[in-house]
Amino acid sequence: SHIGFCVVFLNAIAIGIEVEMVATQHYYDEVFRVCLILFTAWYTLEMVFNAWHDPRDFREDWQWNAFDAIMLALSYAEIALWTGSRSGGVSKVLRVVRICRLGRLFRFGRSLRHVHE
């Protein structure tokens, strides 16, 4: 749980830096593409592990899992767009939508509050 929170927090920092760089310098560094691929791989493995490890809990928390699945689908779509073309319009929209992944911080915050009690 703490590792997952750290990964989400690092992803939030990377997204913030990415948005700032694109907004101020009008170019997109390959480092951010690598970050997206690594974070997408982590979230995919996390989702598969959670579904395999505790299927009942995975089903009970279906709203968050659906949210995570949508965010993963958008990340995979963005990666597919990069490999297919250099068109940035749709990719920019997906990048903004990916910021929604920060909503996972609320999920971890709620879980940590219950652990603390």
Side-chain angles (χ1 to χ4, degrees):
S1 177
H2 295 297
I3 293 172
F5 179 79
C6 289
V7 170
V8 172
F9 188 72
L10 288 173
N11 190 17
I13 291 171
I15 289 172
I17 293 169
E18 172 186 4
V19 169
E20 180 67 22
M21 295 270 299
V22 170
T24 59
Q25 298 178 6
H26 305 292
Y27 74 93
Y28 195 73
D29 195 357
E30 293 295 320
V31 172
F32 297 117
R33 292 178 188 207
V34 172
C35 285
L36 174 63
I37 291 168
L38 292 175
F39 284 121
T40 301
W42 169 266
Y43 293 134
T44 302
L45 291 173
E46 178 187 43
M47 180 173 266
V48 169
F49 176 78
N50 288 337
W52 176 73
H53 177 66
D54 193 356
R56 187 174 17 153
D57 187 46
F58 189 78
R59 283 189 303 269
E60 288 174 3
D61 209 10
W62 69 269
Q63 297 95 341
W64 282 110
N65 294 322
F67 173 78
D68 289 344
I70 291 168
M71 292 298 103
L72 280 172
L74 291 171
S75 293
Y76 281 114
E78 188 171 355
I79 292 168
L81 283 172
W82 285 336
T83 58
S85 71
R86 293 291 180 183
S87 164
V90 175
S91 184
K92 287 179 185 177
V93 171
L94 290 174
R95 192 176 313 131
V96 170
V97 172
R98 195 168 27 110
I99 293 172
C100 293
R101 181 171 286 152
L102 300 179
R104 290 176 55 104
L105 287 172
F106 296 114
R107 177 183 187 179
F108 284 108
R110 182 180 55 131
S111 297
L112 290 176
R113 187 180 74 234
H114 291 295
V115 169
H116 180 63
E117 294 173 354

